[in-house]
Amino acid sequence: MTKTILRALAGETLPTPPIWMMRQAGRYLPEYRATRGEAGDFLSLCYNPDLAAEVTLQPIRRYGFDAAILFADILLLPQALGADLWFVTGEGPRLSTITTQAELDALKPKSDIHETLNPIYETVKILSAELPKETTLIGFAGAPWTVATYMIAGRGTPDQGPAHALKAENRAVFEGLIDIITDATIDYLSHQITAGAEVVKIFDSWAGSLQAQDFVDFALRPTAKIVLALKARHPDIPVIAFPRGAGDKYVGTHAATGADCIALDDGVTAEWAAANVQSQGCVQGNLASSHMVTGGQELIDETRRIVDAFRNGPHIFNLGHGITPDANPDNVALMIETVRNSG
Ligand code: CP3
């Protein structure tokens, strides 16, 4: 029997939605913190195929999610392209910056990225062998705009100001960077698929800061280019796109990107999204991740409301964004139980 997530992605309406959770392998789990300690630090964990596979499997063993997401990070691709990357504890990622043509020219050609990324493909191979037969393996990459915001600023920024500034002040370098990331991402995801990923997801975490034509040019178009190229090479592999923060601009994103499923953040209501987005194809989402911290009856009520709103079309249950380190693992179990008893 086909795996539930693949059935939803093919457009089937299921009696209860399949479920997985963004950042399901992460610091809220004591077993993750233990394995991360064994690896030394976050990047060493990403590049250690045995330990990265182990942390990917931990939430599957604990909760029986319907999908596992490869444990890696969207910033490994910039590193593979030659950027310096490190993580400052308690603060987040730091990268060497790209703001000039000379820095753009110094990036490695896309044919060289696999040297760095080979351990990631190894992780996928291990997972593909070890996952339970009913569990779908999801690979992923960052969308070009989101990855570019980190490469330009050298860190996460609240408003993506440096990327917007480069877009205004040196369009050629900005567009050149978007093109380089787009082409490298196609090859990166294609290698993940060849290694065993059954679905890929494109995370555009900062899509919401792109307005009007910029949203079309730098969120929708690069994702559409990636989807088109992947569909040509791997016609049977579904793609999930996550233009986080798109708001009203979520309408039409299935057609504009070619993605099989659109992931929704919790900035839109499930009722609105059912009428305006799910009407065009499968959706994923969108419980606010704060419920994983607060739990209780509100978690149950909100979970039921979302399941009900999306009941008449293809839906994969998920959070609106990643689970946070202060979440209570018991609340995750409560969410899953609520979803599975909602039929
Ligand atoms: O979802 C999963 O379980 C798979 C693994 C995964 C991670 N990052 C692991 C991670 C995925 C899919 C990502 C994607 C990612 N990484 C995104 C897009 C999704 C989103 O959250 O919007 C972004 C923007 C990044 C970049 C990134 N990685 C930041 C900004 C940070 C620091 C913030 C933080 O949460 O600490 C990371 C670190 C990171 N990536 C952690 C994990 C589990 C925490 C690292 C740790 O163990 O300390």
Side-chain angles (χ1 to χ4, degrees):
M1 207 179 73
T2 312
K3 303 179 186 192
T4 49
I5 297 240
L6 298 177
R7 288 169 63 188
L9 288 168
E12 196 178 328
T13 303
L14 298 164
T16 59
I19 178 169
W20 68 280
M21 187 173 74
M22 282 185 269
R23 292 271 172 102
Q24 62 192 22
R27 284 161 294 179
Y28 74 105
L29 288 179
E31 59 268 38
Y32 170 84
R33 296 195 297 269
T35 309
R36 194 190 130 170
E38 200 184 317
D41 58 36
F42 173 65
L43 281 177
S44 310
L45 177 54
C46 290
Y47 288 117
N48 182 321
D50 291 320
L51 296 184
E54 166 57 23
V55 293
T56 307
L57 291 166
Q58 286 168 349
I60 308 305
R61 287 191 206 112
R62 187 191 264 256
Y63 299 114
F65 282 113
D66 296 295
I69 182 157
L70 163 70
F71 189 84
D73 198 86
I74 65 164
L75 301 178
L76 304 185
L77 183 73
Q79 187 172 39
L81 284 166
D84 294 329
L85 172 68
W86 66 105
F87 279 79
V88 179
T89 312
E91 290 187 32
R94 295 288 183 275
L95 298 89
S96 48
T97 59
I98 306 252
T99 53
T100 64
Q101 188 65 46
E103 286 161 346
L104 195 63
D105 293 341
L107 290 175
K108 291 184 194 167
K110 66 176 182 180
S111 54
D112 288 0
I113 63 174
H114 308 298
E115 260 171 60
T116 303
L117 297 170
N118 260 323
I120 311 310
Y121 312 140
E122 280 307 308
T123 307
V124 174
K125 283 183 200 159
I126 295 171
L127 288 168
S128 167
E130 292 195 3
L131 276 169
K133 62 175 185 348
E134 66 277 11
T135 314
T136 302
L137 178 56
I138 303 176
F140 73 92
W145 160 249
T146 288
V147 173
T149 66
Y150 289 94
M151 292 181 79
I152 293 163
R155 59 194 296 161
T157 47
D159 56 359
Q160 297 73 59
H164 285 290
L166 188 68
K167 169 159 60 66
E169 287 155 18
N170 196 337
R171 192 75 166 193
V173 169
F174 175 78
E175 290 187 353
L177 181 59
I178 293 283
D179 287 346
I180 286 172
I181 299 167
T182 303
D183 289 342
T185 301
I186 291 166
D187 281 4
Y188 180 38
L189 289 174
S190 186
H191 274 65
Q192 291 182 28
I193 292 166
T194 305
E198 300 171 280
V199 173
V200 293
K201 178 167 174 184
I202 301 167
F203 283 89
D204 212 348
S205 304
W206 300 118
S209 81
L210 291 168
Q211 301 306 322
Q213 191 61 34
D214 278 351
F215 183 78
V216 176
D217 291 343
F218 303 120
L220 298 177
R221 269 199 204 132
T223 295
K225 189 175 173 196
I226 294 166
V227 174
L228 194 67
L230 290 176
K231 294 281 179 191
R233 294 189 204 175
H234 316 276
D236 298 330
I237 298 293
V239 181
I240 303 172
F242 183 29
R244 186 169 77 93
D248 288 348
K249 298 191 292 299
Y250 267 119
V251 178
T253 45
H254 284 94
T257 61
D260 302 88
C261 176
I262 296 295
L264 302 161
D265 65 272
D266 52 280
V268 293
T269 68
E271 292 75 11
W272 177 85
N276 296 288
V277 190
Q278 193 191 31
S279 48
Q280 293 141 37
C282 183
V283 292
Q284 176 178 282
N286 71 341
L287 181 69
S289 34
S290 56
H291 290 290
M292 297 300 101
V293 182
T294 53
Q297 191 60 41
E298 268 186 57
L299 156 57
I300 296 173
D301 293 346
E302 276 293 287
T303 299
R304 286 192 182 139
R305 186 181 63 77
I306 290 165
V307 171
D308 281 340
F310 290 126
R311 194 178 284 290
N312 296 319
H315 176 217
I316 298 167
F317 196 93
N318 206 307
L319 301 178
H321 200 196
I323 188 168
T324 51
D326 55 343
N328 180 343
D330 293 342
N331 290 332
V332 176
L334 180 59
M335 168 182 73
I336 295 172
E337 186 194 312
T338 307
V339 169
R340 295 210 168 131
N341 291 330
S342 65

